[in-house]
Every structure is written in C-alpha cells, then in structure tokens.
Amino acid sequence: MQYVVGKSGVLSLGRQGEHLARRLLFTEPADWERELGPGSVQALVQPPGGGAAYPVSLERTEEGWLWTVTGADTAAAGRGRCELRYLAEDTVVKSRTYGIYVAAALGSPPDGQPGPWQRYLDRVLEIGAAAQAAAERAQAAVDGLDELSNLELLEIWNGGMTHVEKVSR
C-alpha cells in the first residue's frame, strides 16, 4: 500500500513485524530542490524505544522519494521519529521531522494456554478424524453389501413410518 506523506504529522509504518507492506512517498523534497538547487535527500529513523537513528533507503521516482518500510523498521512497537533531510554538498540545508508509529502485533497467548489458532487447528483435526472414521464405516458398509447379494431390500410404507426390511428372493 502506498501513502503520500504530507508536510507534518505521524507516519504510520504498520504493525509490528510487517515487511514490505507499506510504502511512504515524500513529495516535499521536490519543492526544496526547486528552492535550493541540486542536492540529495535522506531519511533517518529513530525507532520506537529510543534506539540509535539509522538511515533508510529512499528510491527516487517521478512522483517523489519512496520509502519501502521493512521488517527492521517495524521490529518494535511504539512511537519513534523520522527526519527527512535535504543536503547540499553534505550540509543539511532543510529538514522536516515526523513522528512514526508502529502498532503492536497481537501477542502470543499466556504460557500454557493454547491460542485461538491452536484451538481452531485442534478443531479442524478433530473434524478431520471424525470424517475419516465415517468414511471407513461407509466403506465397511459397502464391503458388507456382498453378503446381501441374495437378499432384496424392500422399503415399506406403514402408517406414516418408513422402515427397511430384508426380504429373501
């Protein structure tokens, strides 16, 4: 999913652990380039939890500068910061700081308790085992029809009740 970044606000990077699921397009550096002349654009991210800031890869496109958010960017949930910089000859001449937010992923269940997926899978296995047993009973019934080859099954309607009786030929 691609989002165009405005001039201020909080950048939502997605959920914790997501990888290559979100792309953020910065268009403002085009204005900086027109105003300040040739230069380069970089983005530094300080992750949630206050870790050391690191540069992220920006791709220059016709529309602007594109940041494809990776699993490294969403490794920790919480709030951090992103600074978009415009450099002229290794000197920062313009910058903008954004807040970033990584939503917490749904965590694992408490120790010793099965999670909802485990309960779901257990139920699927239970139903599968019941279906297998029913198939085996059906096969046994079909195999038992050989014994009835000399008998005819007759359905009798008797006062609103239907039943099957074995009748010799």
Side-chain angles (χ1 to χ4, degrees):
M1 192 79 130
Q2 183 169 306
Y3 299 91
V4 176
V5 175
K7 292 188 178 188
S8 65
V10 175
L11 308 176
S12 176
L13 303 187
R15 291 217 175 274
Q16 187 177 14
E18 287 183 342
H19 182 65
L20 306 177
R22 190 167 298 220
R23 299 167 3 134
L24 303 175
L25 181 68
F26 296 95
T27 58
E28 189 175 19
D31 296 335
W32 297 346
E33 189 173 51
R34 281 190 292 278
E35 175 189 342
L36 301 168
S40 60
V41 177
Q42 68 176 206
L44 295 176
V45 172
Q46 183 177 34
Y54 60 90
V56 295
S57 176
L58 294 176
E59 176 189 346
R60 175 81 187 255
T61 68
E62 289 181 21
E63 294 86 24
W65 285 260
L66 192 63
W67 172 21
T68 301
V69 179
T70 67
D73 304 320
T74 62
R79 297 187 180 283
R81 296 185 329 175
C82 172
E83 184 175 85
L84 187 64
R85 297 175 169 183
Y86 191 77
L87 292 88
E89 297 183 17
D90 297 333
T91 302
V92 177
V93 292
K94 194 91 168 183
S95 68
R96 179 158 322 273
T97 301
Y98 300 89
I100 63 169
Y101 177 72
V102 177
L106 295 176
S108 300
D111 290 339
Q113 295 182 16
W117 279 106
Q118 187 60 51
R119 289 191 297 268
Y120 171 78
L121 292 174
D122 290 346
R123 183 70 178 135
V124 168
L125 292 173
E126 180 183 316
I127 291 169
Q132 180 67 34
E136 290 170 1
R137 286 192 307 273
Q139 185 62 49
V142 168
D143 293 343
L145 286 178
D146 290 339
E147 298 171 17
L148 298 176
S149 61
N150 295 330
L151 297 176
E152 181 179 312
L153 298 179
L154 177 66
E155 183 176 300
I156 300 174
W157 177 261
N158 182 6
M161 301 288 295
T162 302
H163 65 278
V164 176
E165 291 184 12
K166 295 178 189 172
V167 179
S168 295
R169 286 188 177 175

